[in-house]
Amino acid sequence: MSSPIRPVVKRIRVLFLGGLLISFAYSMQLQRHRQIEVPPPAPPAPVEAGADAATLNLKIVERGSDIPVSATVSVNGGAVEGEEAYLEHSLRRSANRHKGPIRFRPLNYYFYTDGTLSLKVPPGRCTVEVRKGYEYVPSHRTFELDPGQVLDASVTLSRWIDMAALGWYSGDTHIHFDRTGTNDDSLLTLTSARDIRYAFSLSMNTRGYSLGGAFESWHQAHGLGDGSIRNRGPYYLTSGQEYRTRTLGHVTILMAPDYVPGAGHTPNTDRGPSLGVIGDQARELGGVIGLNHGGYTRLEADSLALSGKMDFLELLQFGGYRGLGLDGWYDFLNLGYRWPMAGASDYPATRELGDCITYVRASEPPTPQGFIEGLLRGESFATSGPMLLVTVNGKQPGESILANEKTSLDLQVEIRVSSPLYPVRYVDLIRNGRVVSRDFSAEGRSHWELSRRIEASSSGWVAVRAYSDAGTEAHTNPVYVYFDGKLPFDDDACGQILARLDSSLRAIPAESVVARVRKLRDRLARYRDTGNPQGLALPSIAQIAEADGNRSTARQAAVTGAASR
């Protein structure tokens, strides 16, 4: 006769092994979304100019103007450093993190300049490379210098495209600068040198939190939000906040005038509150909030999206799609969520300032607040270099096509990709998360003009991705398509989100957060089983149509106002 203890022991063993397998699977799932990091190569050894040094006086201008413009400069492949004012931000001393696909991008060591500089260089051949972000053609000059010679020279930069003239404005929502109160002019030199029109400098708490106090780094001397805005011509600098927990993730808070309360003064933010609470606090302050690094550990990412607590998803970073990745983002689009994604650099913990950015569409140059509002509407694309312009039946990213009285609809998709700095090998047309058309060039092309027609018979969305090697990426936010007044629902996407929520429930350390996640998980399961979306932050078609109407009216008013001026 068998012992009654044996079945119990067997069950315990099975449960234990099952738990190990689940933990292993979850850790592998997280590892898949971590991006590889390696040490950067050693920079070229600095070359002493010597007693017979030549002097090179450079002035950098834009074609058609004699006014100096800021830029990045590499001299003799990075062996010569620039002037003291911006040295702490040179690629030799800051950023140059070799993480993610963008680590493979060829990049000479460079320094920043405001447009005029004087360099002591060894006599002989001197090579100079000048760059200014993604819209300018790099300029290369070679000089032959005699011992002791003083040479005055200019370098002219030319735009290969003027995105602002086309109604698109660049921005980086995740930069860490110390704003001392006296260095804004220098910081605007850095951001304008990378042609970032809307730069957002974030303070950052460490493991604890004290409302901008003891645990805060990257201080913002002008405060946060509107009161912190400074500009030099079309280039703006605005301060915000990155709220961080080690386990739950990081969020960006923009345009709020003060720090979120959080849980008050605490040495450990891992104890809570939920990032959903932080989202509510940010909105109560009049700010907006984005989920950083694609959700990072992803423990709260899915529940935050389901509850509508995050206004945007910072996804493109280090030349790849972090955290949830594209598939995770697509899952929410396939349930009817309109959750715009953005590209942002996380400088200085990145390859270079503004290596991943977001372009927002506007009928006239926006304020920083207007830039963020356009981002939240999804009127944007994220990029690490390629310029990606797309229309679907004349609609642009963030807009909707309402096909209420039709059973099917032909969608005419016009795609324009321009990327002379980093040629593109693949252009994917994506419908509801699936690639329905892929164009490929083995060598890579600087310009693509594509026209594609696809048929739609159910609600969903259309987006385009353009990409290549070494972290060259661009992805539009969707154009949405609605039939018969219904949101899309994809059972596979729902299953994927439920599976991730189950994994999160086993890993989240704070019980208060577990309760929130479990409640949302149950609401999603009920929606799948009954079609009842109660408790989920899904938009209604009426809300979408009203927002589209308001947007169209505002755009027409802006166009009329611009014409009258």
Side-chain angles (χ1 to χ4, degrees):
M1 191 170 98
S2 63
S3 167
I5 297 176
R6 285 183 180 174
V8 175
V9 172
K10 188 174 181 180
R11 281 195 210 101
I12 292 172
R13 187 179 297 151
V14 168
L15 289 171
F16 176 73
L17 291 173
L20 284 178
L21 285 171
I22 289 168
S23 298
F24 175 75
Y26 183 71
S27 67
M28 291 302 293
Q29 188 181 38
L30 284 180
Q31 187 63 37
R32 183 167 61 90
H33 291 279
R34 290 195 181 112
Q35 294 176 316
I36 294 171
E37 182 170 4
V38 298
V47 175
E48 293 295 330
D52 57 351
T55 301
L56 180 60
N57 297 321
L58 282 181
K59 180 179 178 181
I60 300 167
V61 299
E62 190 167 349
R63 185 170 300 280
S65 171
D66 194 45
I67 301 173
V69 296
S70 58
T72 62
V73 181
S74 177
V75 179
N76 290 347
V80 175
E81 279 282 64
E83 297 172 317
E84 192 63 35
Y86 309 105
L87 271 190
E88 66 175 297
H89 296 284
S90 73
L91 204 62
R92 184 185 290 268
R93 306 187 188 197
S94 183
N96 202 29
R97 187 180 186 187
H98 275 52
K99 181 173 182 175
I102 210 163
R103 70 187 186 277
F104 295 112
R105 175 173 286 179
L107 200 61
N108 285 328
Y109 281 86
Y110 62 69
F111 56 86
Y112 290 86
T113 177
D114 59 9
T116 59
L117 65 157
S118 181
L119 299 170
K120 295 290 186 182
V121 296
R125 176 163 293 185
C126 179
T127 61
V128 176
E129 178 189 64
V130 180
R131 290 177 174 258
K132 190 177 175 70
Y134 290 142
E135 297 182 33
Y136 287 81
V137 180
S139 183
H140 299 86
R141 295 286 305 272
T142 300
F143 304 97
E144 295 290 344
L145 300 169
D146 296 327
Q149 181 181 0
V150 177
L151 178 64
D152 296 332
S154 65
V155 177
T156 300
L157 287 168
S158 301
R159 286 185 181 271
W160 64 266
I161 193 169
D162 187 344
M163 290 295 285
L166 299 175
W168 291 89
Y169 298 86
S170 60
D172 190 341
T173 53
H174 195 154
I175 299 170
H176 296 293
F177 289 143
D178 266 319
R179 292 184 71 182
T180 64
T182 60
N183 66 344
D184 284 340
D185 195 57
S186 293
L187 298 179
L188 284 163
T189 292
L190 304 183
T191 58
S192 59
R194 295 286 296 143
D195 200 27
I196 303 166
R197 290 177 179 261
Y198 297 87
F200 294 85
S201 176
L202 309 181
S203 70
M204 180 182 83
N205 64 291
T206 55
R207 186 167 185 175
Y209 185 64
S210 188
L211 287 79
F215 295 99
E216 210 73 16
S217 60
W218 305 108
H219 298 288
Q220 308 299 309
H222 300 296
L224 309 180
D226 277 342
S228 71
I229 297 173
R230 302 291 186 273
N231 74 293
R232 182 197 291 168
Y235 297 100
Y236 288 83
L237 181 61
T238 308
S239 288
Q241 172 189 4
E242 182 177 18
Y243 179 92
R244 312 193 322 158
T245 80
R246 185 174 55 87
T247 55
L248 299 177
H250 304 174
V251 292
T252 287
I253 300 164
L254 301 173
M255 307 316 298
D258 206 349
Y259 287 90
V260 293
H265 304 276
T266 175
N268 186 1
T269 54
D270 290 342
R271 298 171 185 164
S274 160
L275 292 177
V277 172
I278 302 301
D280 289 338
Q281 293 176 349
R283 289 169 177 173
E284 287 168 6
L285 288 169
V288 303
I289 186 165
L291 186 59
N292 290 356
H293 320 307
Y296 208 36
T297 64
R298 303 185 336 185
L299 293 186
E300 266 205 290
D302 293 281
S303 61
L304 293 168
L306 289 173
S307 57
K309 300 298 185 183
M310 295 292 116
D311 296 307
F312 67 95
L313 176 65
E314 179 190 279
L315 194 59
L316 178 61
Q317 206 161 68
F318 307 147
Y321 299 95
R322 300 188 68 188
L324 288 170
L326 287 176
D327 289 342
W329 179 50
Y330 293 166
D331 287 338
F332 285 96
L333 300 179
N334 285 339
L335 292 190
Y337 282 86
R338 294 170 69 113
W339 195 20
M341 72 93 158
S345 71
D346 196 10
Y347 177 86
T350 186
R351 187 73 193 282
E352 56 178 338
L353 173 63
D355 54 14
C356 292
I357 54 177
T358 304
Y359 275 86
V360 168
R361 186 175 78 255
S363 54
E364 59 182 351
T367 63
Q369 177 74 41
F371 178 88
I372 294 300
E373 290 172 356
L375 187 156
L376 300 193
R377 292 191 296 266
E379 298 175 347
S380 56
F381 67 90
T383 184
S384 64
M387 303 300 156
L388 179 55
L389 303 180
V390 174
T391 63
V392 181
N393 286 10
K395 300 289 188 178
Q396 300 189 74
E399 296 183 326
S400 307
I401 298 170
L402 301 178
N404 292 331
E405 299 178 1
K406 296 180 180 292
T407 57
S408 66
L409 185 67
D410 284 338
L411 301 177
Q412 184 65 39
V413 184
E414 304 295 336
I415 304 168
R416 176 186 170 193
V417 183
S418 299
S419 190
L421 275 63
Y422 306 106
V424 164
R425 299 179 68 206
Y426 301 88
V427 180
D428 289 355
L429 174 58
I430 301 156
R431 162 78 171 146
N432 294 359
R434 296 168 175 82
V435 176
V436 295
S437 170
R438 170 171 290 162
D439 288 86
F440 171 70
S441 167
E443 301 80 17
R445 287 166 52 184
S446 298
H447 299 282
W448 299 73
E449 296 275 353
L450 302 172
S451 183
R452 298 288 180 266
R453 185 180 293 273
I454 58 176
E455 184 179 353
S457 57
S458 61
S459 296
W461 53 275
V462 177
V464 175
R465 177 188 178 196
Y467 56 105
S468 189
D469 309 308
T472 295
E473 282 281 355
H475 202 302
T476 69
N477 274 298
V479 174
Y480 300 92
V481 183
Y482 300 104
F483 284 86
D484 198 26
K486 294 179 181 178
L487 298 175
F489 181 86
D490 183 275
D491 196 63
D492 288 342
C494 184
Q496 289 290 338
I497 296 171
L498 288 169
R500 292 197 299 268
L501 288 167
D502 288 337
S503 295
S504 295
L505 286 168
R506 288 186 285 268
I508 293 172
E511 277 303 316
S512 61
V513 180
V514 168
R516 293 174 68 99
V517 174
R518 183 175 289 115
K519 184 182 295 185
L520 285 157
R521 190 250 181 243
D522 293 344
R523 289 173 179 172
L524 179 59
R526 183 188 62 207
Y527 181 41
R528 177 197 60 190
D529 296 339
T530 69
N532 179 3
Q534 184 177 355
L536 301 176
L538 285 164
S540 69
I541 297 297
Q543 290 170 330
I544 292 166
E546 181 181 1
D548 283 354
N550 292 340
R551 190 181 316 176
S552 178
T553 300
R555 187 171 294 120
Q556 185 58 46
V559 170
T560 302
S564 67
R565 291 195 294 273

